[in-house]
């Protein structure tokens, strides 16, 4: 059974539907692997073993009766702890919510996965309120990279990335407001898609409509598994008025079609970053792969609007988004500020001080970013750039002052596409000299999730999968 650890979700589901593998066998294996290996990671913060086994037995019975169990039939799934999953508390990664009662209902995203046959078995760790590029909090502690326990799996979807990279599950939920799916995916050597803005509906939530920078996503080891998740999760829901209509296509089926010849622009710094040599080499190798596939690849030196003011635009963005977090927890924060981790309480205080002038500057900057991206996509069909400037930082978090000084700010290449809403994906691209994963990011025009997935498949095929050595060994 050891080979199940890194078997793609698409293959696991096929084997269960064809009765070559039972949902109960896979569930027992999954729970045993979590019990054995998550002690070193601390990626899973809630687990309901009894319920998971019961639901797996029920799924096996459905398949035996010849019922159609759905495209995720019997697949164990972990949910990031900022989404509601019925029967589990939603802590949002903070000690302030550690004692929350179990959620009475699933959020839209989780409900769609369950309806497709997925078996939700637990929750994954995250930084408080998703405000971090490393995963640590006072409720559950530090989550560590399966590649090196002294390093971080990133954030805010670090628990999901660590669990998927270590072969605990084949699919987890994630979310991306500035790189929170793509950054952990890059650091852990898995695939992380930030879909088009509105592709996966959010909610129900009082803050669903603002500021339209964050999106839900999945965390998987392969591009095909990522497409499978998107097929299930995409489509409009009335609880999220900004959600897009159903795409009218199957992203998995699109992957079986050849790509047209693409014009690819390669951006290495955006005028704000100084990526490490191993990251730049990963970009060059990927550019060569795309050329070999017949695409037209050209260097592009375009800098982000406001790059000459670095790091001011990033600091303004973080301050305004802190206001969004204040709004989402306003009553609790006002009543019991001391229950939150000190650093997140300070961040929320900073968000409370946002002025109308700050808002105006932020939205003006967003408008400049939109125009910048539109001009780029007038020349190119696809953008290639790093996902993050470095490999994984310490588990306790990066040195922020050093990152600014050295121009290795983790969100340098990711947050812009949250602001513009374009689909963007991080794909593994080999290992650096430190034996930690490197990754590249591919970005496509608005609503062309099919294009970003198709190009990622070609990159994945060339670089091949990478698994953490300690977790790839037999159990």
């Amino acid at each position: 059974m050891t080979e199940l650890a890194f078997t793609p979700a698409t293959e696991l589901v096929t084997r269960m539907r064809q009765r070559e593998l039972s949902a109960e066998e896979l569930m027992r294996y999954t729970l045993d692997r979590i019990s054995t290996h998550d002690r070193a990671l601390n990626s899973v913060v809630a687990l309901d073993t009894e319920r998971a086994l019961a639901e797996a037995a029920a799924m096996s019975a459905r398949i035996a009766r010849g019922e159609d169990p759905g495209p995720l039939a019997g697949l164990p799934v972990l949910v990031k702890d900022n989404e509601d999953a019925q029967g589990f508390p939603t802590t949002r990664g903070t000690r302030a919510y550690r004692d929350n009662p179990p959620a009475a209902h699933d959020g839209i995203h989780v409900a769609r996965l369950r309806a497709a046959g997925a078996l939700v078995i637990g929750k994954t760790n995250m930084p408080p309120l998703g405000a971090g590029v490393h995963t640590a909090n006072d409720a559950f502690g530090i989550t560590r990279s399966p590649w090196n326990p002294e390093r971080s799996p990133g954030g805010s979807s670090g628990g999901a990335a660590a669990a998927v990279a270590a072969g605990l599950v084949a699919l987890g939920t994630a979310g991306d407001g500035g790189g929170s799916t793509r950054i952990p995916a890059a650091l852990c050597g898995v695939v992380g898609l930030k879909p088009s803005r509105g592709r996966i509906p959010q909610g129900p939530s009082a803050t669903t409509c603002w500021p339209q920078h964050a999106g839900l996503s999945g965390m998987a080891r392969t591009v095909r598994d990522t497409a499978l998740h998107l097929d299930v999760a995409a489509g409009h829901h009335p609880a999220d008025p900004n959600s897009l209509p159903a795409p009218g296509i199957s992203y998995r089926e699109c992957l079986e079609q050849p790509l047209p010849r693409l014009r690819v622009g390669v951006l290495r710094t955006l005028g704000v970053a100084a990526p490490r040599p191993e990251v730049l080499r990963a970009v060059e190798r990927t550019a060569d792969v795309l050329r070999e596939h017949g695409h037209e690849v050209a260097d592009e030196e375009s800098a982000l609007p406001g790059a000459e003011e670095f790091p001011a635009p990033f600091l303004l963005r973080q301050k305004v988004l802190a206001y969004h977090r204040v709004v989402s927890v306003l009553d609790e924060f006002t009543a019991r500020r001391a229950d939150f981790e000190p650093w997140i309480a300070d961040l929320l205080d900073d968000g409370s001080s946002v002025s109308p002038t700050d808002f105006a500057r932020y939205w003006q900057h967003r408008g400049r970013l939109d125009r910048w991206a539109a001009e780029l996509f007038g020349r190119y069909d696809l953008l290639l750039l790093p996902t993050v400037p470095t490999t994984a930082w310490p588990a306790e978090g990066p040195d922020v002052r050093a990152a600014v000084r050295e121009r290795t700010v983790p969100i340098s290449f990711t947050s812009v596409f949250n602001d513009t809403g374009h689909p963007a994906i991080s794909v593994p691209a080999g290992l650096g000299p430190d034996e930690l994963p490197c990754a590249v990011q591919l970005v496509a025009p608005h609503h062309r999730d099919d294009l970003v997935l198709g190009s990622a498949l070609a990159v994945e095929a060339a670089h091949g999968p990478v698994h953490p050595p300690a977790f790839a060994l037999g159990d």
Side-chain angles (χ1 to χ4, degrees):
M1 296 282 283
T2 300
E3 77 282 356
L4 292 178
F6 296 103
T7 300
T10 49
E11 182 179 336
L12 291 172
V13 169
T14 297
R15 290 173 63 179
M16 284 186 284
R17 293 172 68 95
Q18 296 176 349
R19 305 186 197 181
E20 297 172 3
L21 172 71
S22 76
E24 292 164 284
E25 288 173 324
L26 178 58
M27 185 61 73
R28 289 193 191 96
Y29 175 81
T30 298
L31 295 172
D32 285 347
R33 191 165 175 85
I34 292 172
S35 175
T36 301
H37 292 297
D38 198 51
R39 300 170 193 170
L41 301 175
N42 191 36
S43 66
V44 181
V45 298
L47 193 66
D48 190 335
T49 300
E50 184 175 342
R51 176 180 172 183
L53 290 170
E55 291 185 352
M59 178 59 69
S60 292
R62 288 184 59 192
I63 293 173
R65 290 195 298 268
E67 297 180 21
D68 181 359
L72 298 180
L75 188 71
V77 169
L78 290 165
V79 172
K80 183 179 176 181
D81 206 11
N82 65 336
E83 292 193 74
D84 286 343
Q86 188 271 328
F88 296 96
T90 305
T91 75
R92 299 183 68 183
T94 173
R95 69 186 188 191
Y97 297 149
R98 173 70 187 265
D99 297 324
N100 274 2
H105 306 284
D106 292 330
I108 297 166
H109 183 202
V110 177
R112 288 185 173 178
L113 300 184
R114 282 201 210 266
L119 305 180
V120 175
I121 63 173
K123 307 293 284 289
T124 54
N125 205 16
M126 59 181 286
L129 307 184
V133 293
H134 71 291
T135 297
N137 55 56
D138 291 349
F140 304 110
I142 297 173
T143 298
R144 300 181 181 276
S145 169
W147 290 87
N148 182 336
E150 300 304 314
R151 301 299 183 102
S152 174
S156 63
S157 306
V164 170
L168 307 188
V169 291
L171 179 67
T173 75
D176 196 313
S180 286
T181 296
R182 288 161 291 160
I183 291 171
L187 269 53
C188 290
V190 297
V191 177
L193 169 70
K194 181 199 76 65
S196 293
R197 178 187 295 143
R199 181 65 69 200
I200 299 175
Q202 302 184 64
S205 167
T207 59
T208 295
C209 301
W210 194 94
Q212 301 179 35
H213 70 283
L216 296 173
S217 61
M219 193 74 74
R221 283 188 299 273
T222 73
V223 173
R224 284 192 167 85
D225 287 357
T226 303
L228 171 65
H229 167 264
L230 195 58
D231 277 346
V232 168
H236 179 75
H237 192 284
D240 182 356
N242 294 307
S243 56
L244 297 173
I249 59 173
S250 164
Y251 293 107
R252 283 189 67 195
E253 291 178 3
C254 287
L255 292 179
E256 307 310 316
Q257 305 299 319
L259 286 172
R261 188 170 187 264
L262 303 175
R263 298 166 299 163
V264 182
V266 183
L267 298 104
R268 294 173 179 81
T269 72
L270 296 185
V272 298
R276 297 285 191 252
E278 59 267 28
V279 173
L280 291 174
R281 285 194 291 270
V283 171
E284 297 306 326
R285 290 195 301 269
T286 304
D288 289 341
V289 168
L290 294 173
R291 289 189 185 95
E292 290 167 4
H293 278 75
H295 303 302
E296 179 185 340
V297 181
D299 293 341
E300 172 60 54
E301 300 301 327
S302 180
L304 288 175
E308 68 282 358
E309 301 170 10
F310 174 87
F314 291 97
L315 297 175
L316 175 64
R317 182 184 194 274
Q318 297 306 94
K319 183 174 182 178
V320 172
L321 297 188
Y323 173 83
H324 168 61
R325 291 187 173 92
V326 173
V327 171
S328 72
V329 298
L330 184 60
D331 291 341
E332 296 93 339
F333 185 62
T334 301
R336 46 192 183 93
R337 181 189 188 280
D339 290 347
F340 290 82
E341 287 81 353
W343 72 267
I344 193 68
D346 290 344
L347 184 146
L348 294 174
D349 282 335
D350 190 45
S352 299
S353 69
V354 172
S355 69
T357 300
D358 291 328
F359 277 116
R361 290 172 52 228
Y362 171 69
W363 285 109
Q364 288 167 3
H365 182 64
R366 286 271 297 253
R368 289 194 292 271
L369 292 176
D370 286 335
R371 292 190 291 274
W372 171 83
E375 193 273 334
L376 274 179
F377 282 112
R379 300 200 302 275
Y380 301 110
D381 306 304
L382 189 74
L383 304 180
L384 165 64
L385 58 164
T387 307
V388 285
T390 70
T391 55
W393 37 85
E396 294 76 16
D399 182 332
V400 176
R401 289 187 178 87
V404 171
R405 184 175 63 252
E406 297 170 7
R407 293 191 171 239
T408 56
V409 173
I411 64 171
S412 295
F413 295 104
T414 52
S415 62
V416 54
F417 301 113
N418 293 92
D419 293 339
T420 64
H422 291 86
I425 193 168
S426 181
V427 191
L431 302 179
D434 53 9
E435 293 300 308
L436 294 173
C438 295
V440 296
Q441 182 180 201
L442 301 166
V443 187
H446 282 303
H447 307 152
R448 291 303 308 271
D449 304 74
D450 59 320
L451 187 59
V452 80
L453 286 163
S455 56
L457 185 67
V459 174
E460 177 184 68
H463 290 306
V466 289
H467 304 311
F471 292 86
L473 299 175
D475 295 339

